[in-house]
Amino acid sequence: MYNMSKLRSQKQEITRKGMLRSLFSWAWKCAAGLLLLLSLAALNNNYSLRRIPRADFCARLDRAVETSTNWMYGHPEILGNPSLMFMVADMERISGDPRLRQMLDQYRNSKYVTDPLRPFGVFGPVWARMVDPQAPVPMIDMTQVPDQGLPEMLWDAYAVAPGRVAISYGNRANMFSPTKYYWGKRHHQLLALVMYRYYNGGSKELDGTINHLAEKVARDAHFDFRVGDSYVQRNAFILGAGRTDLIRSRWIERVLDYQRPDGSWAYCWYSWCRGILEFRFGDVGPDHSTVQAAWALYKLKYQFPQWIEQRYR
């Protein structure tokens, strides 16, 4: 009887060990398979299997610029985001497109600029200056705003009119820090500094910080293959910083590949959004991703055509 009990116990132990080995083997194969898929996705994100002729690329670029401009012109909700309106103003400046000019004229007299009772309405006169450099801006004291989190609206207002928007020492130090922020937070910091240089000119220290941040953002772009809001944002902000040398042609080709028939770009990539574990089902508003993608393409078409000439034959 004792031997039978011992035998059953040994069989159970052997079965348990076998199950553990099978589970470990299955987990290892899944991990290896996932690693392989991620490696292939990263390769596809950075390298193209075929070279696109310059004429074909330019034709795709022209179509994308035209259809995205039509989309922006038909979606006035863009006016509610001052960062996007900065991009629209820059696109109009370098292209002279009359549709964008009409958007800016509409923005100058919109509630987003003229209504001080709206959220952040105190900055309305600042946003007017993005359209009219002579627009008067009263003194705005924001020195009591805590230097915590990511106050991108405050940074953008300070960037446009630093002589009229007073911010705390801590908020200014954070805005100009080359090391404080990472991943997506770094994107918004880079845009604020690009805006600051756009309106106030550069300096050796500012240019160095912008270049450092652009290089970090480009490093992230090598590994994040999801063509959603963050993807187009990286390309747009790097080009806004003037660092065309950091932009891979494959990234722009993928941006063109994922433009939707109506001229917009989806906020999420197959429901996988900005965060690593952020998933959303259903269509998230495409205004943010579309304006950013359009800004990147406008930059290449009108401001940096040499980038195209160097990469396409």
Side-chain angles (χ1 to χ4, degrees), residues 69-292:
T69 304
N70 286 334
W71 190 94
M72 291 187 291
Y73 184 67
H75 289 77
E77 62 268 23
I78 291 170
L79 304 183
N81 188 317
S83 298
L84 298 184
M85 291 310 299
F86 163 74
M87 300 175 204
V88 172
D90 186 53
M91 286 187 272
E92 192 278 331
R93 179 186 65 84
I94 61 179
S95 71
D97 191 288
R99 293 164 294 183
L100 301 180
R101 182 69 256 172
Q102 290 183 42
M103 289 181 66
L104 295 176
D105 292 341
Q106 180 184 0
Y107 182 62
R108 179 66 179 85
N109 300 299
S110 72
K111 60 185 178 182
Y112 305 109
V113 172
T114 61
D115 185 359
L117 300 180
R118 290 184 56 79
F120 300 103
V122 67
F123 294 137
V126 179
W127 311 140
R129 188 166 281 189
M130 295 194 299
V131 180
D132 177 8
Q134 304 305 317
V137 179
M139 195 66 195
I140 303 172
D141 185 359
M142 290 285 129
T143 55
Q144 300 306 311
V145 175
D147 55 349
Q148 300 171 357
L150 192 75
E152 54 184 294
M153 189 78 73
L154 179 66
W155 286 350
D156 292 351
Y158 179 78
V160 176
R164 308 305 296 169
V165 179
I167 63 176
S168 69
Y169 172 83
N171 272 318
R172 192 183 189 283
N174 291 342
M175 176 179 172
F176 287 85
S177 171
T179 58
K180 183 175 179 62
Y181 299 101
Y182 57 91
W183 200 243
K185 293 181 179 181
R186 190 188 288 130
H187 301 182
H188 297 286
Q189 181 194 13
L190 176 58
L191 177 63
L193 294 182
V194 166
M195 292 175 65
Y196 185 93
R197 185 169 66 179
Y198 184 93
Y199 290 105
N200 306 284
S203 66
K204 183 177 181 180
E205 183 178 3
L206 175 60
D207 294 346
T209 300
I210 288 176
N211 285 332
H212 173 77
L213 295 176
E215 290 164 5
K216 294 296 185 181
V217 171
R219 181 200 62 187
D220 297 342
H222 284 83
F223 302 103
D224 191 354
F225 51 82
R226 302 166 299 160
V227 187
D229 186 66
S230 289
Y231 194 96
V232 298
Q233 187 176 86
R234 291 188 188 97
N235 285 278
F237 292 3
I238 293 170
L239 288 168
R243 292 298 304 272
T244 57
D245 58 301
L246 299 175
I247 297 293
R248 299 184 69 90
S249 56
R250 179 58 177 158
W251 298 346
I252 301 302
E253 291 165 11
R254 296 195 72 214
V255 170
L256 293 172
D257 287 343
Y258 280 88
Q259 186 181 27
R260 301 193 291 194
D262 67 351
S264 68
W265 279 265
Y267 183 86
C268 301
W269 186 67
Y270 301 109
S271 299
W272 195 357
C273 302
R274 293 177 64 96
I276 298 298
L277 298 177
E278 180 184 355
F279 296 90
R280 300 188 190 181
F281 299 97
D283 191 26
V284 181
D287 49 310
H288 203 256
S289 49
T290 299
V291 176
Q292 292 176 141

Side-chain angles (χ1 to χ4, degrees), residues 45-58:
N45 183 52
N46 292 284
Y47 302 97
S48 178
L49 294 178
R50 67 185 185 89
R51 184 177 295 275
I52 300 175
R54 183 189 299 174
D56 292 351
F57 177 84
C58 289

